[in-house]
Amino acid sequence: MSFKFPHLWIKSGEVARTLTQGSLSKFKHLIKWKKSESILEAGFASGSNSLQTLVPLLPHDYKEFIGSDISDEMIDYAKKEFKLPRSEVVKLDVCGEIPSQFRERFDHIFGFNVIHVVKDPRKAFKNIKDMLKPGGSTFLTFFQHTPIEHSFVKLKNSPKWGRYDHNEMIPPYHYSASPLDEYQKDLEAAEFSKTIIQKAYETYTAKTDEDHEVLTDLFYAVNPVQLQISDEKERNEYMKEYISEVFNGPVVNQRLDENGNKITDLTTLNMVVYATK
Ligand SMILES: C[S@@+](CC[C@H](N)C(=O)[O-])C[C@H]1O[C@@H](n2cnc3c(N)ncnc32)[C@H](O)[C@@H]1O
């Protein structure tokens, strides 16, 4: 699923950042740094999350940092805005054919909040292994279910909106009783020499109107189906229904605090993978 709206993604960046920081604070001790390393981040979007979560962890003497994504819109944005010494931004489909210059090139490959949006996780894990040097390692975080997939299934099956193509938005293991078990099988197929898998819940809590706006911006940012609807009135109607479905879906929980204020928790069950080639 290629993300199309860099500005909205950045505007709502607090959510991805909170979830990533939660996983990193629990599991970053697994990452072992050496001197002069080559680092790839897959699916780094605009690079804005990376700058605040991963970049502060990098040793000063890293050799190169390559940020990559499948989305032209994200890559164009990041090429202009992502500023880091010895870095480059490239277009790369982590499930596609890997260019020869990337094979066995990296000491570390990171991917935050990405594997749950790729079409072929098995191929992604295999490609990540192929891009690692022997002894290199990958650190990946991804969700059992995204906050939006249930609403896309509902809209796909609705008489009104079913004519728009929602298939790209439904993760391959949406219908599985345990997506995390499916991801685990895909990881085993990649045959890393050592794999550590951790699971942990992470939550972004919206307390204020601004926080709720952040959530709404995020849900807009991750819906490219709206680009298929040319009529503005129809598009607004579609987005209203979509947003309402997401807020009422299983990953988002709304409640009132003791003062009667609306609180919304977005809680994901995260899989954190650390695997060595
Ligand atoms: C949920 S966003 C996460 C972005 C960033 N890692 C973060 O945490 O802020 C997922 C990103 O993965 C990208 N993506 C989706 N499929 C991909 C693929 N097959 N290869 C590379 N990137 C992909 C999307 O375009 C999007 O920018």
Side-chain angles (χ1 to χ4, degrees):
M1 176 202 307
S2 169
F3 282 31
K4 304 288 184 197
F5 304 106
H7 291 94
L8 274 177
W9 180 255
I10 289 162
K11 226 173 137 212
S12 59
E14 206 182 318
V15 184
R17 200 156 54 242
T18 303
L19 304 178
T20 307
Q21 254 152 1
S23 297
L24 277 172
S25 66
K26 292 187 191 90
F27 303 114
K28 65 173 186 259
H29 60 276
L30 295 169
I31 307 164
K32 308 288 178 232
W33 300 105
K34 296 194 302 293
K35 281 189 168 34
S36 190
E37 293 187 309
S38 290
I39 300 155
L40 174 75
E41 187 176 340
F44 99 141
S46 58
S48 50
N49 186 16
S50 191
L51 276 176
Q52 295 189 55
T53 57
L54 177 59
V55 168
L57 304 179
L58 299 181
H60 294 298
D61 67 351
Y62 66 87
K63 182 177 165 196
E64 60 173 349
F65 179 96
I66 298 184
S68 66
D69 205 279
I70 196 176
S71 153
D72 287 323
E73 292 79 0
M74 290 295 185
I75 289 300
D76 288 349
Y77 184 93
K79 278 193 168 162
K80 284 188 219 116
E81 302 295 333
F82 185 78
K83 305 273 183 262
L84 186 72
R86 305 182 300 286
S87 75
E88 200 187 333
V89 174
V90 302
K91 184 169 176 182
L92 178 75
D93 176 358
V94 76
C95 305
E97 285 310 306
I98 295 302
S100 58
Q101 72 271 23
F102 282 0
R103 293 194 180 276
E104 302 219 326
R105 172 158 167 176
F106 299 101
D107 299 282
H108 297 278
I109 298 179
F110 293 92
F112 301 109
N113 314 312
V114 177
I115 294 294
H116 55 245
V117 298
V118 305
K119 274 203 203 91
D120 187 350
R122 186 168 289 223
K123 183 85 177 145
F125 293 137
K126 191 183 170 304
N127 279 344
I128 286 171
K129 186 181 169 207
D130 287 350
M131 289 189 284
L132 285 172
K133 291 178 186 166
S137 67
T138 185
F139 185 99
L140 306 166
T141 69
F142 50 95
F143 310 162
Q144 160 156 266
H145 286 294
T146 67
I148 50 174
E149 62 193 73
H150 296 83
S151 64
F152 283 124
V153 170
K154 278 206 163 175
L155 294 164
K156 170 188 155 85
N157 293 326
S158 89
K160 184 148 193 197
W161 307 116
R163 66 181 184 279
Y164 297 111
D165 184 2
H166 289 84
N167 289 328
E168 199 206 351
M169 311 309 299
I170 300 168
Y173 304 136
H174 172 79
Y175 297 101
S176 162
S178 173
L180 294 188
D181 287 343
E182 308 292 340
Y183 288 121
Q184 193 156 340
K185 282 185 223 148
D186 290 342
L187 263 168
E188 282 161 16
E191 299 183 323
F192 284 93
S193 72
K194 188 176 146 203
T195 307
I196 298 170
I197 298 170
Q198 302 281 356
K199 291 168 197 167
Y201 285 97
E202 302 297 343
T203 299
Y204 172 82
T205 300
K207 294 182 180 152
T208 61
D209 287 349
E210 290 77 34
D211 296 344
H212 283 90
E213 235 172 79
V214 163
L215 277 181
T216 306
D217 284 343
L218 171 72
F219 301 148
Y220 263 87
V222 296
N223 184 332
V225 178
Q226 59 187 294
L227 296 171
Q228 296 174 38
I229 310 176
S230 51
D231 181 75
E232 192 182 346
K233 190 161 163 272
E234 195 190 353
R235 187 167 62 247
N236 290 342
E237 203 185 323
Y238 168 83
M239 288 307 283
K240 201 167 159 205
E241 200 168 323
Y242 156 76
I243 296 285
S244 155
E245 289 291 356
V246 179
F247 272 103
N248 289 306
V251 178
V252 179
N253 176 37
Q254 298 199 288
R255 59 195 163 90
L256 296 178
D257 71 6
E258 60 281 9
N259 301 318
N261 299 316
K262 188 174 73 175
I263 305 282
T264 303
D265 293 313
L266 184 161
T267 301
T268 54
L269 176 55
N270 275 20
M271 192 154 174
V272 179
V273 170
Y274 183 77
T276 314
K277 180 164 170 178

